[in-house]
Amino acid sequence: MLSEERQNMIVSLVNENKSMTVQMLMKALDASESTIRRDLGELSSQGRLEKVYGGAMAKNVVFSGRDVLVNERKALNSVEKTAIARYAASLIGDDDFVYLDAGTTTEAMIPFITAKGAVFVTNGCTHARRLSECGFLTYVLGGEMKASTDAIVGEDAVISLFRYHFTKGFWGTNGISRTSGFSTPDLREALVKQMSMNRTQEKYVLGDASKFSNISCVTFADFSDATVITSALPGEMSSYRACGNVVEVGSDGVHVVKE
């Protein structure tokens, strides 16, 4: 394979997946480690990708190292969040024991939940109040209160999850990536997400299309660990449509059937 052709393929793979490790590129292109590292150096100097420790990231990836305050996040992509939330809420049945993660998209589910027999556990303080006001039997995790995300986090929250076995769970995320999985800026929050996922049968991660351009500090689950419910994906992310665990919903909250 010619050097130019190989480098074009590297850029294509990195752009498609948002990030790639050296080992992944070696396997995909059947090339040596020294060749891949040399190519990454040249492509980085040309400004076609970002060379990072152990691999490369696409130029348009947003790396998020901090949480945005809850009130600020509620105003972001509100139409898409509402559509995602409406569809996600329709998946809950009367017999479900549900984990509802803190977050603005998961909170948006609450007005659309019609399964009055469902029981909820949440680490979202506002979630717990709103669920209770709607008449749902609701339990709240114990632990440290994190004001910026309105979430209960920390060791006590993780320990309290060991007693539960959920039929369905819904989580928010700061980043979605095939290679980096689902990620969030805070280790304490990531541990709660990870443990609650481990205690759940059917797992759903909610995130509008903008989350597919983000990678945050801490991965709490692999991309294949959950079904992703998202808004309509733009052309540069269309390859995700081939993934069996990605569900796109329209502005009316109805699943977009893939052709």
Side-chain angles (χ1 to χ4, degrees):
M1 183 184 299
L2 296 175
S3 175
E4 183 179 359
E5 180 183 0
R6 185 179 60 251
Q7 290 184 1
N8 286 338
M9 291 182 68
I10 288 174
V11 173
S12 178
L13 286 167
V14 170
N15 285 339
E16 179 181 346
N17 294 288
K18 303 304 176 187
S19 66
M20 292 286 283
T21 65
V22 170
Q23 288 70 27
M24 289 175 175
L25 292 168
M26 288 168 58
K27 183 177 181 180
L29 300 173
D30 192 24
S32 68
E33 181 176 353
S34 60
T35 296
I36 294 298
R37 290 190 182 278
R38 184 175 62 250
D39 284 343
L40 292 181
E42 292 179 9
L43 291 167
S44 179
S45 65
Q46 296 167 13
R48 299 178 66 187
L49 50 72
E50 295 285 349
K51 186 180 178 183
V52 297
Y53 180 79
M57 294 175 62
K59 292 286 288 186
N60 64 338
V61 168
V62 177
F63 183 84
S64 173
R66 68 175 185 88
D67 278 311
V68 179
L69 296 177
V70 171
N71 289 339
E72 295 178 28
R73 286 189 286 119
K74 284 183 178 180
L76 297 174
N77 305 312
S78 59
V79 173
E80 291 84 353
K81 286 180 180 179
T82 300
I84 292 167
R86 182 185 288 114
Y87 176 78
S90 73
L91 302 176
I92 298 174
D94 282 319
D95 296 328
D96 279 321
F97 185 42
V98 181
Y99 182 78
L100 196 63
D101 183 38
T104 55
T105 309
T106 51
E107 182 185 348
M109 291 173 58
I110 297 172
F112 299 110
I113 300 172
T114 58
K116 293 301 181 181
V119 177
F120 294 86
V121 175
T122 181
N123 72 324
C125 296
T126 302
H127 295 36
R129 176 180 57 78
R130 295 189 64 190
L131 285 164
S132 182
E133 288 174 348
C134 290
F136 296 106
L137 179 57
T138 306
Y139 298 91
V140 187
L141 298 185
E144 175 190 349
M145 173 65 186
K146 181 182 173 186
S148 62
T149 57
D150 197 33
I152 302 297
V153 300
E155 183 179 358
D156 288 343
V158 171
I159 292 172
S160 66
L161 282 163
F162 277 96
R163 74 186 69 173
Y164 298 121
H165 302 276
F166 305 107
T167 59
K168 292 187 177 93
F170 302 84
W171 290 265
T173 185
N174 292 70
I176 301 172
S177 164
R178 281 198 191 94
T179 53
S180 299
F182 306 112
S183 55
T184 190
D186 190 323
L187 177 60
R188 298 167 302 163
E189 200 152 359
L191 291 174
V192 175
K193 291 175 185 285
Q194 183 179 52
M195 178 55 67
S196 55
M197 273 196 165
N198 290 342
R199 313 297 291 178
T200 304
Q201 293 178 353
E202 294 181 32
K203 309 170 184 68
Y204 300 92
V205 172
L206 314 186
D208 61 79
S210 69
K211 299 294 179 69
F212 286 82
S213 298
N214 294 331
I215 296 175
S216 210
C217 300
V218 188
T219 292
F220 61 87
D222 291 335
F223 177 74
S224 60
D225 287 345
T227 296
V228 183
I229 304 177
T230 187
S231 52
L233 296 173
E236 62 268 23
M237 299 172 189
S238 60
S239 62
Y240 277 95
R241 292 193 179 113
C243 299
N245 64 326
V246 175
V247 176
E248 292 177 84
V249 296
S251 59
D252 55 358
V254 176
H255 179 197
V256 178
V257 179
K258 303 169 188 176
E259 296 183 358

